[in-house]
Amino acid sequence: MTKLLITGGAGFIGSHVVRLLVNRYSEYQIVNLDALTYAGNLENLSDIEGSQNYRFIKGDITDAAFISGLFAKERFDGVIHLAAESHVDRSINNPLVFAKTNILGTINLLEGFRALWEDNWEGKRFYHISTDEVYGTLGETGLFREDTPYDPNSPYSASKASSDHFVRAYGETYGLPYVISNCSNNYGPNQFPEKLIPLFLNNIIEEKSLPVYGDGNYTRDWLYVEDHAAAIDLVLHKGKTGETYNIGGFNEWKNIDLVKSLCRVMDCKLGRPKGASEKLITFVKDRPGHDLRYAIDASKINNELGWQPSVTFKEGLEKTVDWYLAHQEWLDHVTSGAYLEYYNNHYHNNQPT
Ligand code: NAD
Ligand code: DAU
């Protein structure tokens, strides 16, 4: 592959993937296609925007005519598809936009790629980035494996599951050379402060309440975002066509324990008295259809491609906190206007239980 399209590269994970590949593969032409929704932010890429092997194109993957024209013009031989609506709570309030972006947008890209290469797929690759949420929820035990049946519970995860199925179907039907990875919860620099860690970090800075859904006994498996980007690089280059790889942090935390840990780190970094941030914890109405537990069995990518996380959770959390504290301006930019409207609407009804 020499000409690579990365969709959603101005978002959280996408920006780390773009940076890694632009810095590592000077011989590639890397094109970042992003609609710059509320979650896309070119500030995330300011350090690499002048690189000779990098270009940004603003565009919407739901626009079929635009996407087919773009593929015809640029003739990408590889795609890493990250663009998506990604926040579960937003999907509960507005499922349709998730269906449009995550399902229709994916089909438009598959069609653009198929139109170019269906006569000869050699050396081509379509890499679809997905989530562990497609597997639904675990009970107290067990892990998600690549052969765990799909059982999505939120409009977000249903739309991602559907997009995964379309990618597979294009593989079976048209021979499209795809690879899919399903990852657990990411955290790290540049994550939009609607997701648990950056939201709570920002609220602690602002001494606002920390709205823990339900009893806080929900479990997620956390992975530092640069470790995910490294896994994506490996799967892109070494993953087997037609295969799925689960990626996870071997790092399960109950929300309430994670939040308390974050509070302790923040008290220390902000020079506040021990226990100050914990006092901000407020238990609020639960998320509808809240999945109890996610945890990944990442032994396939570990055994076959030699990937494993390089950052411990303690190190990763500290790096994340340091980054946000050093980038107050970034936070100020993304937490104005539409963010405040979303925040007030969503948390208005979430009064303490
Ligand atoms: P994000 O919300 O931070 O970024 C999504 C990006 O997609 C943004 O830059 C946005 O502008 C762009 N986008 C949205 N709609 C678009 C459209 N119609 N056309 C073009 N661009 C559009 O998301 P993220 O957290 O970085 O997630 C990236 C991908 O990884 C998603 O596919 C998500 O499902 C998957 N994923 C995320 C996590 C996680 O913990 N965040 C875990 C596993 C998988
Ligand atoms: O597992 C991978 C998925 O992880 C990705 O596919 C999604 O794009 C990503 O958003 C994430 O989904 P979650 O729903 O797990 O992440 P979120 O940060 O929204 O929530 C993490 C946990 O924290 C979850 O149990 C809900 C809880 N939570 C979240 C928010 C925003 C709260 O208790 N209070 C909150 O205000």
Side-chain angles (χ1 to χ4, degrees):
M1 283 167 294
T2 54
K3 194 160 187 185
L4 195 57
L5 174 69
I6 302 182
T7 69
F12 167 48
I13 301 171
S15 61
H16 290 274
V17 172
V18 167
R19 175 175 302 100
L20 180 73
L21 299 187
V22 164
N23 288 335
R24 193 168 280 179
Y25 302 102
S26 57
E27 71 280 21
Y28 287 10
Q29 292 179 60
I30 295 172
V31 175
N32 171 14
L33 171 70
D34 198 298
L36 299 182
T37 67
Y38 78 92
N41 183 351
L42 288 177
E43 279 179 68
N44 296 347
L45 291 165
S46 52
D47 55 325
I48 56 105
E49 67 189 359
S51 305
Q52 52 77 29
N53 59 342
Y54 171 74
R55 260 187 308 142
F56 173 71
I57 296 176
K58 184 169 188 292
D60 188 336
I61 60 169
T62 68
D63 182 343
F66 164 71
I67 291 295
S68 76
L70 183 73
F71 273 82
K73 179 166 170 247
E74 301 278 356
R75 303 186 66 78
F76 303 111
D77 38 33
V79 175
I80 309 180
H81 174 35
L82 295 114
E85 289 291 336
S86 68
H87 189 38
V88 173
D89 292 330
R90 287 185 192 252
S91 82
I92 294 166
N93 291 329
N94 190 0
L96 205 56
V97 70
F98 282 70
K100 202 173 161 198
T101 298
N102 298 356
I103 306 174
L104 194 61
T106 302
I107 298 172
N108 288 339
L109 294 167
L110 289 165
E111 278 295 286
F113 201 59
R114 176 165 92 91
L116 274 185
W117 307 119
E118 194 173 5
D119 289 342
N120 182 6
W121 291 116
E122 206 183 320
K124 310 295 181 283
R125 171 150 280 191
F126 189 102
Y127 182 3
H128 180 60
I129 305 297
S130 193
T131 169
D132 61 356
E133 298 200 14
V134 298
Y135 299 122
T137 188
L138 293 163
E140 296 294 339
T141 58
L143 297 171
F144 293 136
R145 295 161 41 91
E146 286 79 2
D147 57 4
T148 301
Y150 276 32
D151 192 17
N153 290 315
S154 73
Y156 162 68
S157 53
S159 68
K160 291 296 292 186
S162 173
S163 65
D164 293 10
H165 290 321
F166 269 100
V167 173
R168 278 206 186 85
Y170 270 65
E172 291 298 318
T173 309
Y174 307 111
L176 183 139
Y178 74 87
V179 64
I180 300 176
S181 57
N182 297 76
C183 188
S184 65
N185 288 61
N186 284 219
Y187 70 101
N190 302 111
Q191 188 169 31
F192 193 79
E194 62 188 355
K195 309 279 166 63
L196 182 73
I197 290 182
L199 173 75
F200 279 31
L201 208 154
N202 187 43
N203 282 13
I204 292 172
I205 296 173
E206 296 186 356
E207 297 183 78
K208 280 165 54 175
S209 72
L210 306 177
V212 173
Y213 296 157
D215 60 7
N217 284 319
Y218 293 88
T219 300
R220 297 292 182 265
D221 172 358
W222 295 91
L223 177 67
Y224 191 62
V225 63
E226 288 179 2
D227 278 329
H228 188 191
I232 288 173
D233 180 19
L234 258 186
V235 172
L236 175 73
H237 291 99
K238 305 230 163 81
K240 279 197 206 125
T241 296
E243 293 281 324
T244 286
Y245 295 87
N246 280 356
I247 305 171
F250 305 97
N251 179 40
E252 287 185 52
W253 283 79
K254 280 196 174 19
N255 292 342
I256 188 64
D257 296 333
L258 185 155
V259 169
K260 286 182 178 169
S261 261
L262 178 65
C263 286
R264 282 192 289 274
V265 176
M266 290 296 282
D267 284 345
C268 178
K269 297 274 178 191
L270 293 169
R272 292 183 185 163
K274 269 191 187 159
S277 300
E278 261 194 55
K279 291 199 185 114
L280 299 170
I281 293 175
T282 313
F283 292 92
V284 299
K285 197 171 94 197
D286 213 345
R287 172 185 278 175
H290 200 164
D291 286 330
L292 177 68
R293 177 172 162 259
Y294 305 147
I296 285 273
D297 177 351
S299 52
K300 178 173 172 182
I301 187 170
N302 180 241
N303 294 336
E304 291 185 13
L305 306 183
W307 175 87
Q308 60 182 21
S310 68
V311 175
T312 66
F313 191 55
K314 189 168 178 294
E315 287 163 354
L317 197 59
E318 193 148 328
K319 274 152 91 90
T320 305
V321 167
D322 287 343
W323 186 88
Y324 279 91
L325 292 178
H327 291 81
Q328 188 60 50
E329 208 175 311
W330 183 95
L331 260 179
D332 291 343
H333 289 169
V334 302
T335 54
S336 58
Y339 174 83
L340 288 178
E341 198 179 322
Y342 161 77
Y343 188 88
N344 292 333
N345 279 338
H346 181 62
Y347 290 100
H348 173 74
N349 293 323
N350 281 351
Q351 298 304 322
T353 48

